Each structure stands twice: as C-alpha cells, then as structure tokens.
Amino acid sequence: KAGPRDLLIESDQTGLDLLRWLLNSLAQDTSGSATTVSIEESLSTLITAIAQFDLAPHEREVLEELLVEQMTLSADLEANKRLRSTRYVTVRFANRCLPFDSVKARWIDVLGIGARDDRAEVREEAERGLNPYWYQMLRGTSASGAKPISFAAFDDVVRQFFGGRTIDSDVEPMAVAVEARKAHKHCFVHMVAFARRVLFHEALKEADMSPGLDNDWDRRIDAAAETDPKARSALKAYVHGVHHKSPQSLAVLQSALFESLTADPSAGQVRLIEFLSLVPDASIARLTPYVGGLLPVILSNHHTPRLTAAQAFGIVATHEEVSKSDVRSSTEDMSLRINSWKTAAGALVNQIHGAIVALGYFHSRSHYRRRSAGDAKAFTQTLLEILEGSKDVLLREATFIALGQL
C-alpha cells in the first residue's frame, strides 16, 4: 500500500507534498540508477492509490497545477536545473487520476504529444489520453462497463489550449491562433483536432447522435462530419448556435484550422473546408483579411494542401467583406502563371495546377454568391486549350476539377 489518504493527500492544506517531492527527486536525483528506479516504483504505487480516491475540487485543482508545472519544467531541463524529464509519469498521472473532463489533464496530453525530445512512450500515452475509449482502458474500465464519461466544454477547451483569458477579450482570433502555433508547433495540429472533435461531440450528443466510445471514436466523429447528411445538419445547427453564444471561441478554432493550413502545409490533414461548410457567413468574414495567405499554399509543391487551399480560396475570396484589391492581386498572379502552361515544367506545373483549381473554385463560388468574378469565359477557354494541347497528368487533373466546378 502507498499509505493512508491523509498522508498522500493532506486534509488540512492540500499541497500533495509527497508527490511533489518524489517528482522533483526523479528529476534531480544524482545518486544513481538504483535510486531512480525506486523513485519510479514509488510513483507508480502513488498513481494506483490516488486513482482510487474521489478527489475534492480543491484537491483536483492542486493535482492539475502540479502536473502542468511538471510538464513546463520538463520542457527545458537545462534551464530548470533538471537531469531528467518527468513527462512520462506526469502524463500517466493525468490519465489515471484526473477525469476526462479535466481540461488541464487533456492539455497535459497535448503537451506530451509535442514532446519530441522525450521517449516515444510519452507520446503514445498522451495520444491515448485524448481518446475517451483508450482513456477508459488506461483506467481499467471498458467503455461498456464504465460510468458515462463526461467531456470538457468546448469553451473551456479553447480557453485552456489557446491562451486563457485572451479568448474573452477583443484580441484578434488569428493572433491567438498564431501565438498558440508558435508556442506549441509540435502539437498544434493535435490540439486543434481535439478542440474540433469536442465541439462536434457536443453537437452530436445534443442531437442524440453521438458515436459510440470505441477505439475509432475520433474517426467516427470525423466521418460523421464529412459524409453523414443528418449529422452534418445537426452539426451546422449547433455550430450556428455557438457562433451566437461564443463567437470568439468558434473564431479561434476556425483561425487555428486556417493557420494549420497556411503555416505548415506538410503537417497533415487539415479539415478547414469541412469546418467552413458548417459555420455561418459571418464567421467566415473573420478570415477575409488573411485570404492572401492562401496563395503560397496554392502555389506550393504539396498536392493535398494545395487542393484544400484552392477550395478555401473559393470560399473566402468571394465573401462580400473581402478586399477586392487583395483578391484581384491574387487572381491576376494565378492567371499569369496559368498562361505559361505550354512551357511549364517542374515546380511551375505544380503552381499552375494549384492556380487552375483555385480559379475554378473562385468562379464557381462567385456565381453561387451572385458576385462578379471577372472573365469566366476566357478562363474556360484556357481550360479547353489545356485539355486539347497538354498531356501533363497534373494539368489535366486540375482542368477537369475546374471544369467540374464551372
């Protein structure tokens, strides 16, 4: 046994002194590997003991703050005069001793995923903590036999993940997203994905369409948002409600998805288009000042992000609040590149591919919004010439996509 509850969690002024001392000892001990192993065994015993307690709100708060502090200190061992990281045991404490609706516990998991300089077990444990099914399995309960699991509120997740009180202020949402990415670039995609899934889970739960909590929970959420018409209808209605109740939180998540695409196109799949199809026009308006940021991705060598950016350009660049001069500059740039299709080779082919698709979506969306978009007939004629005169697979693919939109 680890000891009586009063020894592990002080009843008068809870400070978790024993746990704090063991964690600091693990980080700073210099007496040898045998002592380190003993400390790790003691911490494992503590995890088992504390996981069985029903923590009072103030006790839970002390534990959360202690664990977040350990993650922060382990991020820079030299500056904090530490010999070894305590991330692994910290993430284990978060997943086993704190409830799933603890935003700080989920934040610890996010930080663990971003710990590229630590051992792989840290990232594996952290990834499990962000999935409700694996979270329950780590605690020794199955999804069918466990108590109903609670999720943190979307607002609370955004506030914790993206800078605390800035969410409640007049700070520009894009500035919040950019700062969050700079501070946590290795885990930014994961924190954005989890926040989005929490929002979608809230929506589907309210509509009594929540997917089962199995090991494919995250994929089920994503698939429902992408392919299920009834789920998409429920998501759209709920997201519109969030826009009226918590516009800043929604705008920060939207900006974070946009930043994920424009700042690092190679980082992985970004579900920006799916998200923009669910939010109201007034929310999309907050992206219009940044429409120029899509052009470098449209002209990049990354195929999938290029297509995503091209589609996003069609949505944002045709919004009534967008700067016409910004849009004109981008469309003229792309048109000039397309005109060199006959002699294009290498990277220029990729640029023309992105430009063709982007202008295809731009003209299509402009027609849908009943807005003037320049000479669509001349663009269509160029596409037909490319089809007739080019055998390049990429150029033909782009042309078919654009003609399909037109």
Side-chain angles (χ1 to χ4, degrees):
K1 290 185 178 181
R5 191 184 199 282
D6 287 348
L7 174 62
L8 305 181
I9 303 174
E10 304 88 338
S11 56
D12 295 333
Q13 292 183 334
T14 303
L16 297 175
D17 293 338
L18 178 59
L19 174 57
R20 191 183 305 272
W21 177 77
L22 283 171
L23 287 169
N24 289 335
S25 297
L26 178 62
Q28 299 172 331
D29 184 78
T30 59
S31 58
S33 59
T35 304
T36 301
V37 170
S38 296
I39 295 172
E40 289 176 339
E41 290 175 350
S42 299
L43 284 166
S44 294
T45 303
L46 269 184
I47 289 175
T48 303
I50 295 177
Q52 297 174 1
F53 299 150
D54 290 325
L55 298 181
H58 71 280
E59 295 170 339
R60 168 177 155 178
E61 184 177 344
V62 171
L63 178 57
E64 289 172 337
E65 295 300 333
L66 171 58
L67 297 180
V68 170
E69 178 188 45
Q70 288 297 317
M71 295 299 287
T72 303
L73 292 173
S74 292
D76 192 339
L77 298 179
E78 185 176 351
N80 295 305
K81 299 179 180 179
R82 292 185 151 215
L83 298 177
R84 59 188 69 85
S85 166
T86 58
R87 284 190 184 112
Y88 181 57
V89 69
T90 298
V91 174
R92 290 186 68 213
F93 263 102
N95 288 344
R96 289 162 175 77
C97 301
L98 291 170
F100 193 73
D101 63 7
S102 166
V103 289
K104 284 189 168 61
R106 304 290 70 79
W107 177 237
I108 288 166
D109 287 322
V110 166
L111 294 178
I113 290 174
R116 292 193 174 185
D117 57 343
D118 220 315
R119 49 183 171 163
E121 290 90 341
V122 176
R123 297 183 291 281
E124 292 168 1
E125 177 79 15
E127 287 176 2
R128 295 189 189 105
L130 292 181
N131 183 301
Y133 171 82
W134 287 111
Y135 167 85
Q136 289 179 319
M137 295 297 288
L138 289 174
R139 293 169 67 91
T141 56
S142 65
S144 58
K147 297 178 181 178
I149 194 168
S150 297
F151 282 67
F154 170 65
D155 273 349
D156 293 338
V157 171
V158 173
R159 187 174 290 107
Q160 176 65 51
F161 285 17
F162 295 96
R165 288 178 294 180
T166 55
I167 301 304
D168 299 321
S169 69
D170 294 328
V171 175
E172 175 60 33
M174 188 62 73
V176 175
V178 169
E179 286 303 312
R181 185 192 62 80
K182 289 179 179 178
H184 307 289
K185 61 181 180 180
H186 296 311
C187 55
F188 186 70
V189 171
H190 296 276
M191 57 197 273
V192 174
F194 184 74
R196 179 180 56 81
R197 287 176 184 140
V198 167
L199 173 63
F200 288 1
H201 175 83
E202 283 184 6
L204 295 176
K205 183 179 180 182
E206 185 172 278
D208 199 23
M209 299 174 63
S210 181
L213 299 183
D214 57 19
N215 61 332
D216 285 328
W217 170 81
D218 47 1
R219 295 186 187 90
R220 288 178 183 274
I221 288 279
D222 293 344
E226 186 176 2
T227 61
D228 187 330
K230 290 183 179 180
R232 285 184 56 80
S233 179
L235 288 169
K236 192 168 187 176
Y238 188 85
V239 168
H240 279 235
V242 173
H243 172 71
H244 292 295
K245 292 184 296 184
S246 307
Q248 186 78 347
S249 294
L250 190 68
V252 167
L253 176 55
Q254 175 182 265
S255 299
L257 286 164
F258 190 90
E259 176 70 6
S260 295
L261 175 65
T262 56
D264 187 5
S266 63
Q269 186 178 24
V270 177
R271 295 182 175 271
L272 175 63
I273 305 305
E274 166 199 288
F275 194 80
L276 293 182
S277 70
L278 300 173
V279 301
D281 239 24
S283 183
I284 295 174
R286 305 187 77 161
L287 293 179
T288 55
Y290 311 101
V291 66
L294 292 168
L295 189 59
V297 188
I298 291 170
L299 303 178
S300 73
N301 292 323
H302 303 288
H303 185 269
T304 300
R306 199 162 63 226
L307 294 175
T308 302
Q311 197 168 352
F313 183 82
I315 296 171
V316 181
T318 57
H319 196 281
E320 61 181 2
E321 294 189 24
V322 76
S323 165
K324 291 182 179 180
S325 61
D326 289 347
V327 173
R328 189 182 306 112
S329 174
S330 295
T331 55
E332 288 177 354
D333 183 321
M334 289 188 282
S335 295
L336 285 174
R337 295 174 192 273
I338 292 172
N339 288 337
S340 63
W341 66 269
K342 291 181 180 178
T343 58
L348 183 56
V349 173
N350 290 334
Q351 295 177 12
I352 295 174
H353 173 273
I356 291 173
V357 177
L359 288 183
Y361 280 115
F362 175 71
H363 285 292
S364 172
R365 194 76 180 184
S366 295
H367 179 74
Y368 174 77
R369 292 183 184 268
R370 303 180 187 279
R371 291 174 59 85
S372 173
D375 195 350
K377 289 184 179 180
F379 176 62
T380 304
Q381 182 60 39
T382 301
L383 295 181
L384 294 176
E385 291 173 4
I386 293 173
L387 271 186
E388 185 178 351
S390 176
K391 295 183 179 180
D392 187 276
V393 175
L394 272 180
L395 294 185
R396 294 179 68 84
E397 177 197 64
T399 303
F400 282 128
I401 293 173
L403 287 172
Q405 289 298 309
L406 296 172

